[in-house]
Amino acid sequence: MEIFHISAECYPMAKVGGLADVVGALPKYQSNAGHHVRVVVPAYDTKFKRENNFDCVHWGTVKLGNFNFPFSILKESTDKLGYELYLIEINELFNRQNVYGYEDDIERFLSFQIAALDWIVARNKVPDIINCHDHHTGLIPFLTQFAYKYESLQDLRTIITIHNGLYQGWFGFDKLHYLPEFDLKHVGFLEWNNSINSLAVGVKCAHAVTTVSPSYLNEINQSANGLESLFNSVRNKSKGILNGIDIEVWNPLKDQMIAENYSIEGFETGKQKNKERLCEQFELDPSKPLFSFIGRLFEEKGGDLLPQASALALSENFENINILILGSGNTEIESQLTQLRNDYKGNYNVFIGYNEELAHLIYAGSDYILMPSRVEPCGLNQMYAMRYGTIPIVRRTGGLRDTVIDFGDEGNGICHDQASVGDICYSINRAVKLYDDKINFNKVLKRGMEADHSWESVCQEYIEIYNLIIEKNEI
């Protein structure tokens, strides 16, 4: 079948979080399974765009009210990612280095969705499925069904995958005229709480809704930033599918970004070499257990708990642990974490920002990865960590609940129930004791490395849903 994935992010073209990793990997495995897969993202000014060759395959103009934005469709010329990658180039809106965070984000992603559909119509060939990802593409299921200019797409089947339901793409009805014309009797599909809510529109109008883990599907029925009743009402067309990881990219035996390659058979020597490299870089002691955090420094990820939890854990275990933080986000949290360098030099360090190569080295060289998330729709870091023999310490929520079982239950990690400083420190204390028990520590580590989190089976779950909605059956 012909599948379009339309998304604001796709690794390695543009990455802010896990959305990029999923949209960069799932299409490759669908393509490997014999399907014709196209991925469509905005043409941001990124390193990938600058360093690769693209062919212009279509051009046109997006009309947003009184504004006209010329656009081009650029195809990556070699299909080096394992699928066809298309960029929508609207220089006035997307020729910027950041993905999000601009005052005109509503206009940016509205124009992106309209340009994508204009191009699909111009192809004169309707795909079998459009898989929309998060609120940035949430208006597509509505537009394909009700906008006059997309009449040829009325029978096109759409699915929306929710990677994070907290972000919903709200905007006022004063911008309704930005949308292509449609019969106003359908305007109710756009409304939620007296505004237009892009995610709610997608959930209402798509033929299927997926979340990135089964537990997250249950959670958003209880807590979804105001959309709880909507998610409950569409439960019959919803399914939670746990994300996979790209085991070709995340493979300690072949990873060129780490200091020494290793497999489950010889992990001890390999991990120690990576740990030594990491500790040398950040002035830490490789003889002590290394606890690391990789991610965005926001409350959602428990980032606000890290300064106090790190300080308390280091005070209680100053001679016994190292802590390393890689992340960026809230400037106050960044400042607090940076300040800790002065108080715990030799046992603590922080890298503010994001560095893909450093992330790989941290997964390979750490003993534990901290994930104290308040919300974690799926979580990929715990899967990457286990793949590299690093034990996850997680709060039981969303996909963390689905993938990590406490070692006390003969599982693959350390779990706690509350997003609190006390729970984090208690788990770190348990981890220190486990680290000193090398036989059991290695058993827990190996269980994580042996887990299969590849995309093959996940890919097939998506294909099954596509087939069901093409046949117009409920999922």
Side-chain angles (χ1 to χ4, degrees):
M1 72 177 70
E2 185 181 32
I3 304 163
F4 271 69
H5 287 274
I6 304 182
S7 171
E9 300 178 39
C10 173
Y11 178 80
M13 168 55 198
K15 175 176 176 175
V16 174
L19 168 62
D21 291 321
V22 173
V23 178
L26 173 59
K28 178 168 67 174
Y29 287 85
Q30 291 178 333
S31 181
N32 291 343
H35 302 284
H36 193 172
V37 186
R38 294 180 165 94
V39 174
V40 185
V41 296
Y44 312 104
D45 180 22
T46 64
K47 180 180 178 182
F48 183 89
K49 180 176 182 290
R50 293 191 297 270
E51 294 183 353
N52 289 274
N53 296 318
F54 296 85
D55 301 318
C56 182
V57 298
H58 181 75
W59 57 88
T61 300
V62 171
K63 182 177 176 60
L64 290 185
N66 295 324
F67 301 102
N68 292 298
F69 298 103
F71 74 89
S72 301
I73 305 293
L74 308 180
K75 180 184 181 298
E76 193 277 312
S77 57
T78 65
D79 296 340
K80 64 191 294 182
L81 301 181
Y83 49 82
E84 294 182 14
L85 175 68
Y86 294 86
L87 307 184
I88 295 184
E89 186 175 64
I90 308 175
N91 284 329
E92 190 172 343
L93 299 176
F94 287 107
N95 191 26
R96 311 171 189 178
Q97 294 186 351
N98 293 332
V99 175
Y100 313 120
Y102 299 100
E103 290 184 356
D104 59 352
D105 274 355
I106 293 298
E107 288 77 9
R108 294 169 76 224
F109 291 106
L110 276 174
S111 67
F112 168 61
Q113 294 172 84
I114 293 168
L117 292 179
D118 285 357
W119 169 49
I120 290 172
V121 168
R123 293 169 66 242
N124 292 318
K125 182 177 184 297
V126 179
D128 296 290
I129 287 286
I130 291 182
N131 195 327
C132 305
H133 294 269
D134 274 350
H135 74 82
H136 322 95
T137 57
L139 296 176
I140 287 174
F142 173 85
L143 294 173
T144 56
Q145 292 180 57
F146 303 121
Y148 297 131
K149 68 187 296 190
Y150 305 131
E151 186 177 3
S152 61
L153 304 180
Q154 282 183 354
D155 292 329
L156 172 59
R157 313 305 276 178
T158 58
I159 176 174
I160 186 164
T161 299
I162 300 170
H163 301 258
N164 193 330
L166 290 178
Y167 304 103
Q168 299 176 0
W170 297 85
F171 61 100
F173 274 94
D174 59 310
K175 296 183 178 180
L176 180 64
H177 65 290
Y178 285 169
L179 300 185
E181 290 186 10
F182 64 93
D183 188 334
L184 287 175
K185 72 181 180 183
H186 300 299
V187 74
F189 285 106
L190 299 175
E191 192 273 336
W192 191 266
N193 198 21
N194 299 317
S195 294
I196 297 173
N197 181 312
S198 298
L199 183 64
V201 175
V203 170
K204 290 178 186 179
C205 296
H207 299 97
V209 177
T210 61
T211 62
V212 290
S213 72
S215 287
Y216 189 56
L217 178 60
N218 293 329
E219 289 174 9
I220 61 174
N221 281 266
Q222 307 299 322
S223 177
N225 201 14
L227 297 185
E228 297 83 4
S229 62
L230 175 60
F231 284 117
N232 274 286
S233 71
V234 298
R235 194 62 187 256
N236 67 320
K237 67 173 185 179
S238 304
K239 184 174 183 181
I241 303 176
L242 187 67
N243 281 339
I245 62 173
D246 190 335
I247 60 174
E248 296 174 19
V249 173
W250 298 95
N251 183 354
L253 189 59
K254 298 179 180 179
D255 193 337
Q256 297 183 358
M257 298 187 194
I258 64 178
E260 176 129 345
N261 296 118
Y262 58 95
S263 66
I264 191 171
E265 287 78 19
F267 71 87
E268 289 180 291
T269 300
K271 282 195 67 67
Q272 185 61 28
K273 292 285 187 183
N274 284 286
K275 186 176 184 180
E276 289 171 358
R277 174 73 63 83
L278 193 58
C279 289
E280 179 184 4
Q281 184 174 342
F282 288 96
E283 300 179 328
L284 302 172
D285 183 349
S287 69
K288 300 174 181 178
L290 175 57
F291 296 80
S292 297
F293 172 91
I294 300 173
R296 289 172 288 165
L297 298 174
F298 293 110
E299 290 186 6
E300 175 190 345
K301 298 293 184 182
D304 59 311
L305 303 171
L306 289 174
Q308 187 180 350
S310 297
L312 183 57
L314 287 163
S315 297
E316 292 178 345
N317 297 279
F318 188 70
E319 298 299 324
N320 299 319
I321 68 171
N322 293 319
I323 295 178
L324 176 62
I325 309 290
L326 168 62
S328 63
N330 182 291
T331 54
E332 183 177 348
I333 297 172
E334 291 178 359
S335 177
Q336 291 172 356
L337 290 170
T338 302
Q339 179 62 36
L340 288 179
R341 274 194 193 131
N342 300 325
D343 301 326
Y344 299 100
K345 188 174 182 180
N347 294 78
Y348 170 89
N349 216 326
V350 60
F351 183 103
I352 299 298
Y354 184 75
N355 181 295
E356 188 75 17
E357 186 170 340
L358 176 57
H360 282 244
L361 183 61
I362 290 175
Y363 287 122
S366 300
D367 299 296
Y368 296 100
I369 200 85
L370 297 167
M371 298 186 70
S373 303
R374 289 184 173 84
V375 178
E376 196 64 71
C378 175
L380 297 174
N381 288 12
Q382 79 278 16
M383 300 185 203
Y384 298 148
M386 288 188 284
R387 178 86 165 139
Y388 284 71
T390 295
I391 296 173
I393 299 176
V394 307
R395 175 178 174 252
R396 291 185 180 98
T397 185
L400 299 178
R401 183 188 299 274
D402 294 328
T403 54
V404 182
I405 299 171
D406 191 84
F407 77 92
D409 298 317
E410 298 189 359
N412 51 10
I414 297 176
C415 304
H416 54 89
D417 290 318
Q418 304 301 320
S420 69
V421 169
D423 272 32
I424 295 169
C425 290
Y426 179 71
S427 292
I428 288 176
N429 290 335
R430 293 182 68 207
V432 171
K433 293 178 182 177
L434 177 62
Y435 183 82
D436 292 333
D437 181 357
K438 283 301 177 192
I439 292 177
N440 282 322
F441 176 83
N442 288 343
K443 284 182 180 178
V444 177
L445 182 155
K446 286 182 177 178
R447 290 186 196 120
M449 291 190 80
E450 289 168 350
D452 180 8
H453 293 297
S454 65
W455 272 108
E456 275 87 354
S457 59
V458 181
C459 164
Q460 189 52 40
E461 287 192 69
Y462 276 92
I463 298 301
E464 289 173 1
I465 290 179
Y466 297 167
N467 282 325
L468 280 172
I469 61 177
I470 287 171
E471 296 164 4
K472 302 186 179 179
N473 295 322
E474 291 185 353
I475 68 171

